[in-house]
Protein backbone atom coordinates (compact mmCIF):
# COMPACT_ATOMS: atom_id res chain seq x y z
CA UNK A 1 0.00 0.00 0.00
CA UNK A 2 1.52 3.32 -0.99
CA UNK A 3 2.00 6.03 1.61
CA UNK A 4 -0.50 8.19 -0.24
CA UNK A 5 -3.39 5.89 0.47
CA UNK A 6 -2.57 5.00 4.09
CA UNK A 7 -5.52 6.96 5.49
CA UNK A 8 -7.94 5.59 2.90
CA UNK A 9 -6.81 2.04 3.51
CA UNK A 10 -7.33 2.33 7.29
CA UNK A 11 -10.68 4.10 7.09
CA UNK A 12 -11.92 1.39 4.71
CA UNK A 13 -10.99 -1.26 7.26
CA UNK A 14 -12.83 0.66 9.99
CA UNK A 15 -16.01 1.20 7.93
CA UNK A 16 -16.10 -2.55 7.14
CA UNK A 17 -16.70 -3.17 10.85
CA UNK A 18 -20.37 -2.47 11.66
CA UNK A 19 -19.60 -0.81 14.99
CA UNK A 20 -23.04 0.50 15.91
CA UNK A 21 -23.02 1.89 19.48
CA UNK A 22 -21.79 0.38 21.77
CA UNK A 23 -20.22 -2.44 19.69
CA UNK A 24 -16.64 -1.70 18.75
CA UNK A 25 -16.23 -4.84 16.57
CA UNK A 26 -12.46 -4.75 17.25
CA UNK A 27 -11.92 -1.37 15.61
CA UNK A 28 -9.90 -0.36 18.65
CA UNK A 29 -7.82 -3.54 18.53
CA UNK A 30 -6.90 -2.64 14.97
CA UNK A 31 -5.87 0.85 16.08
CA UNK A 32 -3.92 -0.49 19.06
CA UNK A 33 -1.97 -2.91 16.84
CA UNK A 34 -0.90 -0.02 14.64
CA UNK A 35 -0.05 2.24 17.56
CA UNK A 36 1.93 -0.39 19.49
CA UNK A 37 4.22 -0.75 16.48
CA UNK A 38 5.29 2.86 16.90
CA UNK A 39 5.81 2.74 20.65
CA UNK A 40 2.38 3.52 22.11
CA UNK A 41 1.36 1.76 25.31
CA UNK A 42 -2.26 0.70 24.79
CA UNK A 43 -4.85 -0.24 27.34
CA UNK A 44 -8.52 -1.03 27.21
CA UNK A 45 -10.81 0.54 29.79
CA UNK A 46 -14.14 -1.26 29.47
CA UNK A 47 -17.41 -0.99 31.34
CA UNK A 48 -21.04 -1.81 30.69
CA UNK A 49 -20.41 -3.29 27.24
CA UNK A 50 -18.48 -0.22 26.16
CA UNK A 51 -14.85 -0.50 25.03
CA UNK A 52 -12.49 2.44 25.41
CA UNK A 53 -8.88 2.68 24.29
CA UNK A 54 -6.22 4.79 25.99
CA UNK A 55 -2.94 4.74 24.08
CA UNK A 56 0.05 6.88 25.05
CA UNK A 57 3.53 7.36 23.62
CA UNK A 58 6.09 9.15 25.76
CA UNK A 59 6.24 10.14 29.42
CA UNK A 60 7.09 13.82 29.33
CA UNK A 61 4.96 16.93 29.04
CA UNK A 62 3.21 18.35 27.16
CA UNK A 63 0.68 15.60 26.51
CA UNK A 64 -1.36 16.01 23.33
CA UNK A 65 -4.47 13.85 23.08
CA UNK A 66 -6.45 12.94 19.97
CA UNK A 67 -9.96 11.96 21.01
CA UNK A 68 -12.78 10.29 19.15
CA UNK A 69 -15.18 7.42 18.80
CA UNK A 70 -15.27 4.18 16.84
CA UNK A 71 -19.04 3.75 17.25
CA UNK A 72 -21.49 4.88 14.60
CA UNK A 73 -25.23 5.53 14.54
CA UNK A 74 -27.44 2.85 12.93
CA UNK A 75 -27.60 3.08 9.13
CA UNK A 76 -31.41 3.17 8.97
CA UNK A 77 -33.20 1.42 6.10
CA UNK A 78 -30.55 -0.32 3.97
CA UNK A 79 -32.59 0.05 0.79
CA UNK A 80 -32.29 3.84 1.08
CA UNK A 81 -28.50 3.56 0.69
CA UNK A 82 -27.00 3.43 -2.80
CA UNK A 83 -24.38 1.00 -1.48
CA UNK A 84 -24.10 -1.16 1.64
CA UNK A 85 -23.35 1.18 4.59
CA UNK A 86 -20.75 -1.27 5.92
CA UNK A 87 -19.01 -1.90 2.62
CA UNK A 88 -16.74 1.10 1.98
CA UNK A 89 -17.48 2.19 -1.56
CA UNK A 90 -15.66 4.75 -3.70
CA UNK A 91 -17.86 6.62 -6.16
CA UNK A 92 -17.56 9.98 -7.92
CA UNK A 93 -14.65 11.15 -5.78
CA UNK A 94 -16.23 10.18 -2.47
CA UNK A 95 -15.92 7.32 -0.03
CA UNK A 96 -19.36 6.14 1.13
CA UNK A 97 -20.17 4.21 4.31
CA UNK A 98 -21.57 4.68 7.80
CA UNK A 99 -18.91 6.48 9.82
CA UNK A 100 -17.11 7.90 6.75
CA UNK A 101 -17.52 11.42 8.15
CA UNK A 102 -18.53 10.76 11.79
CA UNK A 103 -15.83 9.84 12.57
CA UNK A 104 -13.82 6.94 11.24
CA UNK A 105 -11.88 9.09 8.76
CA UNK A 106 -10.67 11.28 11.63
CA UNK A 107 -9.58 8.22 13.60
CA UNK A 108 -7.68 6.80 10.65
CA UNK A 109 -6.17 10.26 10.09
CA UNK A 110 -5.05 10.42 13.77
CA UNK A 111 -3.24 7.08 13.52
CA UNK A 112 -1.52 7.88 10.23
CA UNK A 113 -0.57 11.36 11.51
CA UNK A 114 1.02 9.78 14.60
CA UNK A 115 2.85 7.20 12.46
CA UNK A 116 4.30 9.83 10.15
CA UNK A 117 5.19 12.21 12.95
CA UNK A 118 6.95 9.50 14.93
CA UNK A 119 8.80 8.23 11.85
CA UNK A 120 10.13 11.74 11.20
CA UNK A 121 10.79 12.66 14.86
CA UNK A 122 11.34 9.43 16.82
CA UNK A 123 12.92 11.33 19.73
CA UNK A 124 10.21 14.00 19.95
CA UNK A 125 9.59 16.01 23.09
CA UNK A 126 6.35 15.52 25.01
CA UNK A 127 3.78 12.77 24.64
CA UNK A 128 1.01 11.80 22.23
CA UNK A 129 -2.12 9.91 23.23
CA UNK A 130 -5.34 8.63 21.69
CA UNK A 131 -8.55 8.43 23.72
CA UNK A 132 -11.08 6.42 21.73
CA UNK A 133 -14.53 5.34 22.92
CA UNK A 134 -17.31 3.20 21.49
CA UNK A 135 -20.04 5.08 23.34
CA UNK A 136 -20.22 8.60 21.94
CA UNK A 137 -23.37 8.27 19.86
CA UNK A 138 -25.27 6.47 22.64
CA UNK A 139 -25.86 7.25 26.31
CA UNK A 140 -22.19 8.24 26.74
CA UNK A 141 -22.12 7.06 30.36
CA UNK A 142 -19.43 4.36 30.08
CA UNK A 143 -17.33 6.06 27.45
CA UNK A 144 -15.06 9.10 27.48
CA UNK A 145 -16.37 10.15 30.87
CA UNK A 146 -15.06 7.02 32.66
CA UNK A 147 -11.70 7.25 30.90
CA UNK A 148 -11.45 10.86 32.07
CA UNK A 149 -12.32 9.78 35.62
CA UNK A 150 -9.61 7.11 35.45
CA UNK A 151 -7.00 9.51 34.07
CA UNK A 152 -7.86 12.04 36.75
CA UNK A 153 -7.57 9.39 39.47
CA UNK A 154 -4.09 8.51 38.17
CA UNK A 155 -3.06 12.14 38.10
CA UNK A 156 -2.42 12.15 34.34
CA UNK A 157 -1.85 15.72 33.20
CA UNK A 158 -3.43 16.43 29.81
CA UNK A 159 -2.30 19.64 28.13
CA UNK A 160 -4.00 19.77 24.73
CA UNK A 161 -6.82 17.75 23.20
CA UNK A 162 -8.05 17.61 19.62
CA UNK A 163 -11.43 15.92 19.18
CA UNK A 164 -11.95 14.62 15.64
CA UNK A 165 -15.65 15.43 15.30
CA UNK A 166 -16.72 16.53 11.82
CA UNK A 167 -16.71 20.30 12.31
CA UNK A 168 -16.04 21.52 8.76
CA UNK A 169 -18.90 23.07 6.80
CA UNK A 170 -18.49 23.63 3.08
CA UNK A 171 -14.75 22.96 2.86
CA UNK A 172 -12.26 21.02 4.92
CA UNK A 173 -10.73 23.45 7.40
CA UNK A 174 -13.32 26.21 7.39
CA UNK A 175 -14.51 25.61 10.97
CA UNK A 176 -13.15 24.36 14.30
CA UNK A 177 -15.08 24.28 17.55
CA UNK A 178 -13.22 25.87 20.44
CA UNK A 179 -16.18 25.36 22.75
CA UNK A 180 -19.68 24.04 23.00
CA UNK A 181 -22.77 25.36 24.66
CA UNK A 182 -24.20 23.56 27.68
CA UNK A 183 -27.58 21.82 27.67
CA UNK A 184 -30.06 22.07 30.54
CA UNK A 185 -33.54 20.52 30.35
CA UNK A 186 -36.58 20.95 32.59
CA UNK A 187 -39.87 19.15 33.06
CA UNK A 188 -42.42 21.49 34.59
CA UNK A 189 -45.75 20.19 35.93
CA UNK A 190 -48.24 22.92 36.83
CA UNK A 191 -50.94 21.71 39.16
CA UNK A 192 -54.55 22.82 38.82
CA UNK A 193 -57.91 21.40 39.80
CA UNK A 194 -59.83 19.40 37.21
CA UNK A 195 -63.49 20.32 36.72
CA UNK A 196 -66.38 21.14 34.41
CA UNK A 197 -65.69 24.09 32.07
CA UNK A 198 -69.19 25.42 32.90
CA UNK A 199 -68.29 25.62 36.61
CA UNK A 200 -64.82 27.24 36.56
CA UNK A 201 -65.20 28.51 40.12
CA UNK A 202 -65.01 24.86 41.21
CA UNK A 203 -61.85 24.22 39.16
CA UNK A 204 -58.43 25.85 38.68
CA UNK A 205 -57.09 25.92 35.16
CA UNK A 206 -53.33 25.21 35.06
CA UNK A 207 -53.09 26.29 31.41
CA UNK A 208 -54.44 29.74 32.23
CA UNK A 209 -52.00 30.01 35.10
CA UNK A 210 -49.08 28.74 33.07
CA UNK A 211 -49.60 30.88 29.96
CA UNK A 212 -48.44 34.28 31.31
CA UNK A 213 -45.53 32.71 33.20
CA UNK A 214 -44.42 30.83 30.09
CA UNK A 215 -44.73 33.98 27.98
CA UNK A 216 -42.45 35.78 30.40
CA UNK A 217 -39.88 32.97 30.39
CA UNK A 218 -39.92 32.77 26.60
CA UNK A 219 -39.33 36.52 26.33
CA UNK A 220 -36.51 36.64 28.89
CA UNK A 221 -32.99 37.64 27.83
CA UNK A 222 -30.83 35.20 29.79
CA UNK A 223 -27.51 36.72 28.77
CA UNK A 224 -25.95 38.38 25.75
CA UNK A 225 -23.37 35.67 25.14
CA UNK A 226 -19.74 36.75 25.05
CA UNK A 227 -16.83 36.98 22.64
CA UNK A 228 -17.10 33.28 21.83
CA UNK A 229 -20.72 32.33 22.48
CA UNK A 230 -24.06 33.47 21.10
CA UNK A 231 -26.70 34.34 23.74
CA UNK A 232 -28.30 31.53 25.74
CA UNK A 233 -31.51 30.24 24.17
CA UNK A 234 -34.67 28.79 25.72
CA UNK A 235 -37.04 26.55 23.75
CA UNK A 236 -40.23 24.72 24.72
CA UNK A 237 -40.01 21.21 23.28
CA UNK A 238 -43.36 19.82 24.47
CA UNK A 239 -46.57 21.19 26.01
CA UNK A 240 -49.57 19.13 26.96
CA UNK A 241 -52.68 19.24 29.11
CA UNK A 242 -56.26 18.12 28.99
CA UNK A 243 -58.31 14.98 28.59
CA UNK A 244 -59.18 15.47 24.94
CA UNK A 245 -62.72 16.59 25.81
CA UNK A 246 -63.75 20.24 25.30
CA UNK A 247 -65.82 20.41 28.50
CA UNK A 248 -63.15 19.49 31.04
CA UNK A 249 -60.72 21.88 32.74
CA UNK A 250 -57.41 19.94 32.89
CA UNK A 251 -55.98 18.96 36.24
CA UNK A 252 -52.39 19.67 35.26
CA UNK A 253 -50.24 21.02 32.46
CA UNK A 254 -46.80 19.65 31.60
CA UNK A 255 -44.06 21.54 29.74
CA UNK A 256 -40.73 20.18 28.59
CA UNK A 257 -38.09 22.75 27.74
CA UNK A 258 -34.38 23.08 27.09
CA UNK A 259 -31.71 25.72 27.48
CA UNK A 260 -28.62 25.83 25.26
CA UNK A 261 -26.45 28.03 27.38
CA UNK A 262 -23.24 29.96 27.01
CA UNK A 263 -20.50 30.46 29.58
CA UNK A 264 -22.18 33.79 30.39
CA UNK A 265 -24.79 31.82 32.39
CA UNK A 266 -24.62 28.85 34.73
CA UNK A 267 -27.10 26.03 35.39
CA UNK A 268 -27.69 27.53 38.85
CA UNK A 269 -28.39 31.02 37.55
CA UNK A 270 -30.84 29.76 34.91
CA UNK A 271 -32.68 27.54 37.38
CA UNK A 272 -32.98 30.32 39.95
CA UNK A 273 -34.39 32.73 37.39
CA UNK A 274 -36.99 30.23 36.10
CA UNK A 275 -38.12 29.47 39.65
CA UNK A 276 -38.38 33.17 40.43
CA UNK A 277 -40.73 33.76 37.48
CA UNK A 278 -42.90 30.74 38.33
CA UNK A 279 -43.11 31.81 41.97
CA UNK A 280 -43.94 35.39 41.00
CA UNK A 281 -46.92 34.09 39.03
CA UNK A 282 -48.08 32.08 42.06
CA UNK A 283 -48.02 28.69 40.37
CA UNK A 284 -48.22 25.41 42.23
CA UNK A 285 -45.74 23.23 40.41
CA UNK A 286 -43.07 20.54 40.33
CA UNK A 287 -39.95 21.15 38.29
CA UNK A 288 -37.34 18.47 37.55
CA UNK A 289 -34.04 19.57 36.05
CA UNK A 290 -31.53 17.57 34.05
CA UNK A 291 -28.11 18.93 33.16
CA UNK A 292 -27.23 17.34 29.81
CA UNK A 293 -23.80 18.91 29.60
CA UNK A 294 -21.79 21.82 30.88
CA UNK A 295 -20.38 24.25 28.36
CA UNK A 296 -16.67 24.39 27.67
CA UNK A 297 -14.50 27.04 26.11
CA UNK A 298 -10.89 27.18 24.94
CA UNK A 299 -9.97 30.82 24.33
CA UNK A 300 -7.49 31.70 21.60
CA UNK A 301 -4.06 30.43 22.64
CA UNK A 302 -1.39 27.83 21.85
CA UNK A 303 -3.79 25.05 20.79
CA UNK A 304 -6.11 27.15 18.63
CA UNK A 305 -3.04 28.80 17.05
CA UNK A 306 -1.33 25.46 16.35
CA UNK A 307 -4.42 24.03 14.68
CA UNK A 308 -5.43 27.13 12.72
CA UNK A 309 -1.87 27.48 11.44
CA UNK A 310 -1.76 23.77 10.47
CA UNK A 311 -5.02 24.14 8.53
CA UNK A 312 -3.76 27.25 6.72
CA UNK A 313 -0.45 25.61 5.83
CA UNK A 314 -2.14 22.48 4.50
CA UNK A 315 -5.21 23.90 2.74
CA UNK A 316 -4.82 27.67 2.49
CA UNK A 317 -8.12 28.01 4.37
CA UNK A 318 -8.44 30.34 7.38
CA UNK A 319 -10.49 28.45 9.95
CA UNK A 320 -13.24 30.13 11.92
CA UNK A 321 -13.51 29.36 15.63
CA UNK A 322 -17.10 28.46 16.47
CA UNK A 323 -19.12 27.24 19.46
CA UNK A 324 -22.35 26.30 17.67
CA UNK A 325 -23.89 22.86 17.43
CA UNK A 326 -24.86 20.18 19.93
CA UNK A 327 -22.92 18.78 22.86
CA UNK A 328 -19.94 16.48 22.33
CA UNK A 329 -17.49 14.41 24.37
CA UNK A 330 -15.36 17.56 24.51
CA UNK A 331 -17.46 18.47 27.56
CA UNK A 332 -15.97 15.56 29.56
CA UNK A 333 -12.39 16.08 28.40
CA UNK A 334 -12.50 19.80 29.16
CA UNK A 335 -12.86 18.92 32.85
CA UNK A 336 -9.36 17.39 32.90
CA UNK A 337 -7.68 19.24 30.04
CA UNK A 338 -7.24 23.02 29.94
CA UNK A 339 -7.33 23.32 26.14
CA UNK A 340 -9.73 21.32 23.98
CA UNK A 341 -10.60 21.93 20.35
CA UNK A 342 -12.68 19.97 17.87
CA UNK A 343 -11.72 19.62 14.25
CA UNK A 344 -12.66 17.18 11.53
CA UNK A 345 -14.12 16.74 8.05
CA UNK A 346 -17.27 18.19 6.48
CA UNK A 347 -20.44 17.32 8.36
CA UNK A 348 -23.12 17.67 5.67
CA UNK A 349 -23.91 13.92 5.54
CA UNK A 350 -23.38 12.82 9.15
CA UNK A 351 -26.04 10.47 10.54
CA UNK A 352 -27.74 10.50 7.08
CA UNK A 353 -28.14 7.78 4.48
CA UNK A 354 -25.26 7.76 1.98
CA UNK A 355 -22.85 9.26 4.54
CA UNK A 356 -19.65 10.13 2.71
CA UNK A 357 -16.30 11.90 2.74
CA UNK A 358 -14.44 13.44 -0.14
CA UNK A 359 -11.53 11.15 -1.04
CA UNK A 360 -9.36 14.22 -1.64
CA UNK A 361 -9.92 15.32 1.99
CA UNK A 362 -8.42 12.22 3.62
CA UNK A 363 -4.71 12.98 3.27
CA UNK A 364 -5.07 16.71 4.06
CA UNK A 365 -7.06 15.82 7.19
CA UNK A 366 -4.25 13.59 8.45
CA UNK A 367 -1.63 16.16 7.43
CA UNK A 368 -3.44 18.84 9.46
CA UNK A 369 -3.29 16.64 12.55
CA UNK A 370 0.40 15.90 11.90
CA UNK A 371 1.21 19.57 11.38
CA UNK A 372 -0.60 20.40 14.62
CA UNK A 373 1.65 17.92 16.43
CA UNK A 374 4.67 19.56 14.82
CA UNK A 375 3.52 23.03 15.84
CA UNK A 376 3.02 21.93 19.44
CA UNK A 377 5.92 19.52 19.94
CA UNK A 378 8.84 20.63 17.77
CA UNK A 379 11.10 23.43 18.92
CA UNK A 380 10.44 26.57 16.89
ZN1 LIG B 1 -19.21 11.94 16.16
Amino acid sequence: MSADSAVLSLVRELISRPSVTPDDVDCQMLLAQRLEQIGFRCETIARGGVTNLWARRGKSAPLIVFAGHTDVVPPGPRDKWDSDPFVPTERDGYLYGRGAADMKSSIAAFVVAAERFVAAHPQHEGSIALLITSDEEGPAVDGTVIVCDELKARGEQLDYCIVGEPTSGDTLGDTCKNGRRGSLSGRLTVKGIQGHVAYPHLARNPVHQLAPALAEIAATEWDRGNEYFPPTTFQVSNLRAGTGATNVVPGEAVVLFNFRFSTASTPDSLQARVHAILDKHGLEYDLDWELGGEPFLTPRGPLTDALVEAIRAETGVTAELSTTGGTSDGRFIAKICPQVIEFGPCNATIHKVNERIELAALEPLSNIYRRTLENLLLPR
Side-chain angles (χ1 to χ4, degrees):
M1 194 56 66
S2 80
D4 284 348
S5 57
V7 182
L8 174 60
S9 147
L10 182 53
V11 70
R12 290 184 64 107
E13 282 192 72
L14 292 170
I15 290 174
S16 313
R17 295 164 196 246
S19 54
V20 175
T21 315
D23 290 332
D24 171 62
V25 199
D26 288 339
C27 286
Q28 292 174 19
M29 190 192 290
L30 181 67
L31 305 176
Q33 282 166 359
R34 294 277 288 256
L35 293 168
E36 276 168 356
Q37 283 175 26
I38 52 166
F40 279 76
R41 273 201 50 202
C42 298
E43 64 182 298
T44 295
I45 301 173
R47 195 173 78 180
V50 171
T51 320
N52 304 292
L53 172 67
W54 172 248
R56 176 173 178 158
R57 182 183 202 274
K59 292 198 167 75
S60 61
L63 170 57
I64 302 168
V65 180
F66 290 110
H69 57 91
T70 46
D71 60 319
V72 296
V73 294
R78 301 275 179 126
D79 58 344
K80 295 273 195 266
W81 286 70
D82 294 333
S83 53
D84 189 315
F86 298 113
V87 176
T89 305
E90 291 168 46
R91 202 164 58 235
D92 308 326
Y94 290 89
L95 175 68
Y96 288 81
R98 177 54 88 222
D102 187 9
M103 57 175 277
K104 288 179 168 176
S105 295
S106 303
I107 301 227
F110 288 163
V111 171
V112 172
E115 287 172 344
R116 290 175 180 163
F117 178 80
V118 168
H121 312 283
Q123 310 297 331
H124 65 83
E125 293 289 308
S127 305
I128 308 168
L130 271 76
L131 193 177
I132 307 292
T133 183
S134 66
D135 181 35
E136 199 274 341
E137 302 285 11
V141 293
D142 292 321
T144 299
V145 63
I146 70 155
V147 179
C148 289
D149 288 347
E150 175 69 27
L151 296 176
K152 190 178 176 189
R154 291 181 195 173
E156 293 252 21
Q157 184 59 54
L158 282 64
D159 296 289
Y160 307 107
C161 178
I162 299 153
V163 185
E165 289 294 344
T167 56
S168 296
D170 297 331
T171 351
L172 179 70
D174 61 6
T175 313
C176 336
K177 307 270 185 195
N178 63 323
R180 294 273 190 167
R181 292 176 295 177
S183 173
L184 175 68
S185 296
R187 182 196 164 89
L188 170 66
T189 305
V190 179
K191 294 170 184 175
I193 298 171
Q194 185 177 319
H196 196 300
V197 295
Y199 300 89
H201 58 289
L202 299 177
R204 194 175 79 223
N205 195 322
V207 176
H208 293 196
Q209 293 196 299
L210 168 64
L214 194 55
E216 185 171 339
I217 292 169
T220 296
E221 180 183 87
W222 305 97
D223 57 51
R224 292 185 171 174
N226 52 34
E227 183 188 354
Y228 296 101
F229 283 97
T232 292
T233 58
F234 167 90
Q235 287 292 308
V236 171
S237 44
N238 194 297
L239 173 57
R240 61 179 185 272
T243 62
T246 55
N247 60 355
V248 180
V249 171
E252 62 177 33
V254 178
V255 186
L256 307 185
F257 60 84
N258 178 267
F259 283 103
R260 289 302 159 110
F261 64 100
S262 74
T263 48
S265 290
T266 64
D268 284 347
S269 72
L270 296 172
Q271 290 179 22
R273 292 173 70 188
V274 169
H275 281 281
I277 294 169
L278 297 173
D279 292 342
K280 187 177 86 185
H281 285 267
L283 302 189
E284 190 188 331
Y285 65 90
D286 286 331
L287 178 47
D288 298 320
W289 293 98
E290 192 186 332
L291 181 60
E294 303 237 27
F296 78 88
L297 175 65
T298 301
R300 280 182 193 83
L303 180 59
T304 62
D305 288 351
L307 178 61
V308 168
E309 197 181 305
I311 291 169
R312 195 180 294 125
E314 181 65 27
T315 66
V317 174
T318 300
E320 182 198 341
L321 299 181
S322 158
T323 58
T324 59
T327 60
S328 79
D329 274 2
R331 67 190 192 267
F332 303 125
I333 300 165
K335 288 194 156 60
I336 59 164
C337 184
Q339 298 188 46
V340 176
I341 196 158
E342 303 183 12
F343 175 69
C346 295
N347 54 24
T349 63
I350 61 174
H351 295 209
K352 295 185 177 176
V353 299
N354 293 326
E355 181 178 346
R356 65 186 191 176
I357 185 165
E358 209 176 344
L359 286 163
L362 292 171
E363 286 295 315
L365 178 62
S366 185
N367 290 339
I368 290 167
Y369 294 141
R370 177 183 47 77
R371 286 174 187 271
T372 306
L373 284 176
E374 291 168 358
N375 290 345
L376 290 168
L377 290 183
L378 300 185
R380 305 261 199 137

